[in-house]
Amino acid sequence: MAIRIFITGGTFDKEYNELNGELYFKDTHMSDLLEMGRSKLNIEIRTLMMIDSLEMTEEDRELIAHQCNQCEEDMIVITHGTDTMSDTARMLAKSVKNKTVVLTGAMIPIKFGSSDGLFNLGGALAFVQTLPPGVYVAMNGRYFNSDNVRKNKETGMFQELNQKV
Amino acid sequence: MAIRIFITGGTFDKEYNELNGELYFKDTHMSDLLEMGRSKLNIEIRTLMMIDSLEMTEEDRELIAHQCNQCEEDMIVITHGTDTMSDTARMLAKSVKNKTVVLTGAMIPIKFGSSDGLFNLGGALAFVQTLPPGVYVAMNGRYFNSDNVRKNKETGMFQELNQKV
Amino acid sequence: MAIRIFITGGTFDKEYNELNGELYFKDTHMSDLLEMGRSKLNIEIRTLMMIDSLEMTEEDRELIAHQCNQCEEDMIVITHGTDTMSDTARMLAKSVKNKTVVLTGAMIPIKFGSSDGLFNLGGALAFVQTLPPGVYVAMNGRYFNSDNVRKNKETGMFQELNQKV
Amino acid sequence: MAIRIFITGGTFDKEYNELNGELYFKDTHMSDLLEMGRSKLNIEIRTLMMIDSLEMTEEDRELIAHQCNQCEEDMIVITHGTDTMSDTARMLAKSVKNKTVVLTGAMIPIKFGSSDGLFNLGGALAFVQTLPPGVYVAMNGRYFNSDNVRKNKETGMFQELNQKV
């Protein structure tokens, strides 16, 4: 019973460049997080890209879908920038069948002191083991079906499409 | 759809007393963790006790069972010391019915830099929303049925009863 | 025997805005750091500005000099962005006399996990108590006279003017 | 201009043993701290012992004094448990001459989130470069002469012998 983790970038893996004061991508911190969580899950990690989700193209999303369909595992966690996470989820729902796919990310880079990344990862790995096949977003302790989720840009929180506030 | 969290102590909530260099309990850090995780779940927290699980008596376990049965919520997460977490899970399985109860904890206090607590909490809150009624232990990214789990004292990891190493 | 701390901004006090993913200034973290260091020094903190040191104008530097001259204390620590810290030190050396002024800062924001800010602050507060009147830069565990210091933009380290590498 | 750091243990270097929940010594974290502080000082580290200062014997103190006298460097920082730091300082003052020796430590282990260790180390390294020959304790942002310092066991703070509260 193996789980595949695909890395695509997003706030989750951003780092601080101390020479120019900008945020950038180097390597994913996924292995460190799994070690911190003392995970004993059977996990394969693959980095597909390292980009801001605002820069993600349709081609990028097709690559992600292709990788989801091609990999052996039926349980897939994808780390993803939060800005277009819902868009990618909806696109994947059209082309990935019979697998449980959970997208997650972070509002604060995991290299920073107060990140939500470890909490979200713990949740995503639990949801992917227990939810029926389908594509989901796991953020803020909750899970959302890919056809009923959006990021509220004012609060930074994820919610159902018809939810107010 | 509300979740109840019961606090019982354990490594999870241990703090360092800088006057005498010993570990002790003050208050639970649950609210801080939920805030760090940017949880939007509807959660009620209640501290039942603050003890090492090696000191937990049958009376303490009966109190926990009673609280599980009495509370309104059908989804219950219990933070618990790891040493006797499996024992408490088995006892609760006998007396708590028709609710999903997930016990979790930490190998390293959450006040210390490299704790697994936030990861475990994220997982426990996800499992409690998705697993059928029953009593479970959620540690190391995995969940275990209460009748098939033990802590391996040599590795510190949780595993099935018949699992080797 | 009191010490004055002037806050001017810089990497030291940068925070991560989780809504737009940019770094910004909110409040100084100086009090938190002094508390973490269990400082028992008699310290007065005043925030003069909250800016990147690349944006610091001559007018800003005159304000800092004025405040140094006007304040009661003879021992002054100034937190400052690293990019123009040496420039400000040289300017202050011309106009502030008979006081010990130590500029310090951080390569990584103190809100991030691996910041050098607490180390630098500990050093700056020690140097200001022990160095003779003059203006100094305290970074990388060392102190530099204001007339013999520059930031090496390739390494991010401070060094004497004639030092190679 | 080199600095010698001697490690003797104390809270500074304590770690949490996740198998039995006790604090213990493994290796010193000095190199990690100096790296975090981006220190460019010329430093030699030597671990003399790894013990609680309450367990330090006269023989241990003689070893420390011997090492201070034998080493090439004239600037020496010693990490030490806080409980008997003042005693060791007084003993060293009798036998180490013509060198600047600064003892420091931490109230909270540096592996824990909110340690004062990095602040104290930054201060100790600054004091050792600037104070005249003698033996000092550097804690709480201050320095104390070895003949006029004690730890207030009720507050955990260091103070002069005649200071009240």
Side-chain angles (χ1 to χ4, degrees):
Chain A
M1 206 179 77
I3 298 172
R4 167 73 61 156
I5 297 182
F6 285 130
I7 309 293
T8 74
T11 296
F12 199 83
D13 272 327
K14 282 270 181 78
E15 300 203 36
Y16 185 80
N17 180 333
E18 58 187 89
L19 289 183
N20 66 12
E22 292 179 4
L23 298 168
Y24 75 116
F25 293 113
K26 203 162 61 175
D27 293 320
T28 178
H29 305 90
M30 184 54 72
S31 298
D32 295 339
L33 285 187
L34 292 171
E35 195 178 333
M36 188 180 290
R38 280 131 188 89
S39 164
K40 295 299 281 183
L41 294 166
N42 183 4
I43 288 178
E44 282 290 317
I45 305 171
R46 186 83 37 101
T47 299
L48 300 184
M49 58 200 75
M50 273 296 218
I51 60 173
D52 274 315
S53 76
L54 287 172
E55 295 170 8
M56 193 176 279
T57 65
E58 283 316 296
E59 208 162 60
D60 292 328
R61 292 194 170 88
E62 277 164 30
L63 168 64
I64 298 171
H66 179 74
Q67 292 281 336
C68 288
N69 279 317
Q70 288 304 110
C71 74
E72 283 183 11
E73 295 84 359
D74 292 332
M75 300 183 288
I76 300 169
V77 168
I78 302 172
T79 62
H80 195 289
T82 58
D83 285 317
T84 70
M85 190 185 289
S86 306
D87 302 330
T88 302
R90 263 184 288 282
M91 183 278 190
L92 291 177
K94 289 182 202 152
S95 55
V96 184
K97 305 294 178 188
N98 302 319
K99 298 199 174 195
T100 300
V101 179
V102 177
L103 291 87
T104 195
M107 294 302 291
I108 296 263
I110 56 185
K111 285 282 281 184
F112 299 2
S114 60
S115 174
D116 51 336
L118 190 62
F119 178 82
N120 293 340
L121 179 62
L125 287 171
F127 284 130
V128 85
Q129 296 176 71
T130 50
L131 287 171
V135 179
Y136 307 88
V137 163
M139 288 291 289
N140 305 314
R142 306 177 60 194
Y143 71 96
F144 302 87
N145 286 302
S146 59
D147 60 0
N148 192 18
V149 59
R150 73 179 184 94
K151 180 181 174 185
N152 182 321
K153 293 206 193 313
E154 276 156 52
T155 63
M157 301 294 173
F158 283 79
Q159 57 187 50
E160 283 90 4
L161 291 180
N162 61 351
Q163 185 188 319
K164 291 175 184 170
V165 173
Chain B
M1 205 179 77
I3 298 171
R4 167 74 60 155
I5 297 182
F6 286 129
I7 310 294
T8 75
T11 296
F12 199 84
D13 272 326
K14 282 269 181 78
E15 300 204 35
Y16 185 79
N17 180 333
E18 57 186 271
L19 289 183
N20 65 12
E22 292 179 4
L23 299 168
Y24 76 117
F25 293 113
K26 203 163 62 174
D27 294 318
T28 179
H29 305 91
M30 183 55 72
S31 297
D32 295 339
L33 285 186
L34 293 172
E35 195 178 334
M36 189 180 289
R38 281 132 187 89
S39 164
K40 294 300 279 183
L41 294 166
N42 183 4
I43 288 178
E44 282 290 317
I45 305 171
R46 186 84 34 102
T47 299
L48 300 185
M49 59 200 76
M50 273 297 217
I51 59 173
D52 273 315
S53 76
L54 287 173
E55 295 170 6
M56 192 176 281
T57 64
E58 283 316 295
E59 208 163 59
D60 291 328
R61 292 195 170 89
E62 276 163 31
L63 168 64
I64 298 172
H66 180 74
Q67 291 281 336
C68 288
N69 279 317
Q70 287 303 110
C71 74
E72 283 183 11
E73 295 84 359
D74 293 331
M75 300 184 288
I76 300 169
V77 168
I78 302 173
T79 62
H80 195 289
T82 58
D83 285 316
T84 70
M85 189 185 289
S86 307
D87 301 330
T88 302
R90 263 185 289 282
M91 183 278 190
L92 291 178
K94 289 182 202 153
S95 55
V96 183
K97 306 293 178 189
N98 302 317
K99 298 199 174 195
T100 301
V101 179
V102 177
L103 290 87
T104 195
M107 294 302 291
I108 295 263
I110 55 186
K111 285 283 281 184
F112 299 2
S114 60
S115 174
D116 51 337
L118 190 63
F119 178 81
N120 293 340
L121 179 63
L125 287 171
F127 284 130
V128 86
Q129 295 176 72
T130 50
L131 288 171
V135 179
Y136 307 88
V137 163
M139 289 289 290
N140 306 314
R142 306 177 61 193
Y143 70 95
F144 302 87
N145 286 301
S146 58
D147 59 1
N148 192 17
V149 59
R150 72 180 184 94
K151 181 181 174 184
N152 183 321
K153 292 206 194 312
E154 276 156 53
T155 64
M157 301 294 173
F158 283 79
Q159 57 186 51
E160 282 90 4
L161 291 180
N162 61 351
Q163 186 188 319
K164 290 175 186 170
V165 173
Chain C
M1 204 179 79
I3 297 171
R4 167 74 60 156
I5 297 182
F6 286 128
I7 310 293
T8 74
T11 296
F12 199 84
D13 272 325
K14 282 269 181 79
E15 300 204 36
Y16 185 78
N17 180 334
E18 56 186 271
L19 290 182
N20 66 11
E22 292 179 3
L23 299 168
Y24 76 117
F25 292 112
K26 204 163 61 175
D27 292 320
T28 179
H29 304 91
M30 183 54 73
S31 296
D32 295 339
L33 286 186
L34 292 172
E35 195 178 334
M36 187 180 291
R38 280 132 187 90
S39 165
K40 294 298 282 180
L41 293 166
N42 183 5
I43 288 179
E44 282 289 317
I45 305 171
R46 186 82 37 100
T47 299
L48 300 185
M49 57 200 77
M50 273 294 219
I51 60 173
D52 273 316
S53 76
L54 287 173
E55 295 170 7
M56 192 175 280
T57 64
E58 284 314 296
E59 208 164 60
D60 292 327
R61 292 195 171 89
E62 277 163 31
L63 167 63
I64 299 171
H66 180 74
Q67 291 281 336
C68 288
N69 279 318
Q70 288 303 110
C71 74
E72 283 183 9
E73 294 82 1
D74 292 332
M75 300 183 288
I76 301 170
V77 168
I78 302 173
T79 63
H80 195 289
T82 58
D83 284 317
T84 69
M85 189 185 288
S86 306
D87 302 329
T88 302
R90 263 183 289 282
M91 183 276 192
L92 291 178
K94 289 181 202 151
S95 55
V96 183
K97 305 295 180 188
N98 301 319
K99 299 199 175 196
T100 301
V101 179
V102 177
L103 289 87
T104 195
M107 294 303 290
I108 297 262
I110 56 184
K111 286 282 281 184
F112 298 2
S114 59
S115 174
D116 51 335
L118 191 62
F119 178 81
N120 293 340
L121 179 62
L125 287 170
F127 284 130
V128 86
Q129 295 175 72
T130 50
L131 288 171
V135 179
Y136 307 88
V137 163
M139 288 291 289
N140 306 313
R142 306 176 61 193
Y143 70 95
F144 302 88
N145 286 301
S146 59
D147 59 1
N148 191 18
V149 59
R150 72 180 185 95
K151 180 180 174 186
N152 182 322
K153 292 205 192 317
E154 276 155 54
T155 64
M157 301 294 174
F158 282 79
Q159 58 187 49
E160 282 90 4
L161 291 180
N162 61 351
Q163 186 188 320
K164 291 176 185 171
V165 175
Chain D
M1 205 180 76
I3 298 172
R4 167 74 59 154
I5 297 182
F6 286 129
I7 310 293
T8 74
T11 296
F12 199 84
D13 272 325
K14 282 269 181 78
E15 299 204 36
Y16 185 79
N17 180 333
E18 57 186 272
L19 290 183
N20 66 12
E22 291 178 3
L23 299 169
Y24 76 117
F25 293 111
K26 204 163 61 175
D27 292 319
T28 178
H29 305 91
M30 183 55 72
S31 296
D32 296 339
L33 285 187
L34 292 172
E35 196 178 331
M36 188 180 291
R38 280 132 188 90
S39 164
K40 295 299 280 182
L41 294 166
N42 183 5
I43 288 179
E44 282 290 316
I45 305 171
R46 186 83 35 101
T47 298
L48 300 185
M49 58 199 77
M50 271 297 217
I51 59 173
D52 273 316
S53 75
L54 287 173
E55 296 170 6
M56 192 175 280
T57 64
E58 283 314 296
E59 208 163 59
D60 292 328
R61 291 195 171 90
E62 277 164 28
L63 168 64
I64 298 171
H66 180 74
Q67 291 282 336
C68 287
N69 279 317
Q70 288 304 110
C71 74
E72 283 184 11
E73 294 84 0
D74 292 332
M75 300 183 288
I76 301 170
V77 168
I78 302 173
T79 63
H80 195 290
T82 58
D83 284 316
T84 69
M85 189 185 288
S86 306
D87 301 330
T88 302
R90 262 183 289 279
M91 182 277 191
L92 291 178
K94 289 180 202 153
S95 55
V96 184
K97 305 294 178 190
N98 302 318
K99 298 199 175 195
T100 301
V101 179
V102 177
L103 290 87
T104 194
M107 293 302 292
I108 296 262
I110 56 185
K111 285 283 281 185
F112 298 2
S114 59
S115 175
D116 50 336
L118 190 62
F119 178 81
N120 293 341
L121 179 62
L125 287 171
F127 284 130
V128 85
Q129 295 176 71
T130 50
L131 287 171
V135 180
Y136 308 88
V137 163
M139 289 291 289
N140 306 313
R142 306 176 61 193
Y143 70 95
F144 302 87
N145 286 302
S146 59
D147 59 0
N148 191 17
V149 59
R150 71 179 186 96
K151 181 182 174 185
N152 182 323
K153 292 207 192 313
E154 276 157 55
T155 63
M157 301 295 173
F158 283 79
Q159 58 187 48
E160 282 90 5
L161 291 180
N162 61 351
Q163 185 188 321
K164 292 176 185 169
V165 175

